[in-house]
Amino acid sequence: NYKIPDAENFSELYNRCLTFVEEHDLRNKNLVIVSHGYTIRMLLLILTNSAKERYKEIRAPHNLIFKLDFHNGLLKNNQTLNV
């Protein structure tokens, strides 16, 4: 959980993203999120209920759109679309 000066460590980023997901009830909305790689990967980790240890396995290249379909707050479908 190393921290670069003036930057977030893993736990801080995770907590910030989790708070964002919960405060904005993202599992019950249709929306588009545009962000840089680390944050979008963390949001995908949280929204797909993946273990924190899988963070490095999540890939978020610039040419992909991630479509997550939720029903009653539960993930029903997870699609990756090429642009």
Side-chain angles (χ1 to χ4, degrees):
N1 212 12
Y2 174 77
K3 183 171 180 170
I4 297 170
D6 299 318
E8 291 176 304
N9 64 25
F10 181 89
S11 294
E12 291 168 332
L13 177 61
Y14 181 87
N15 289 332
R16 181 168 59 93
C17 289
L18 181 60
T19 298
F20 181 80
V21 167
E22 291 172 348
E23 284 180 357
H24 297 281
D25 196 22
L26 297 189
R27 292 183 179 99
N28 288 304
K29 293 182 179 176
N30 294 321
L31 55 105
V32 173
I33 300 173
V34 178
S35 181
H36 61 84
Y38 294 118
T39 304
I40 201 73
R41 286 169 53 198
M42 188 64 77
L43 288 168
L44 286 168
L45 178 92
I46 292 167
L47 289 168
T48 59
N49 296 314
S50 296
K52 291 180 185 178
E53 296 77 22
R54 297 200 59 214
Y55 177 78
K56 291 183 180 180
E57 298 172 24
I58 296 173
R59 299 289 171 241
H62 299 288
N63 64 331
L64 294 180
I65 294 173
F66 299 94
K67 182 179 182 215
L68 307 176
D69 296 320
F70 293 92
H71 182 67
N72 294 329
L74 300 173
L75 183 65
K76 294 297 180 185
N77 188 28
N78 178 1
Q79 262 185 302
T80 304
L81 310 167
N82 287 311
V83 180

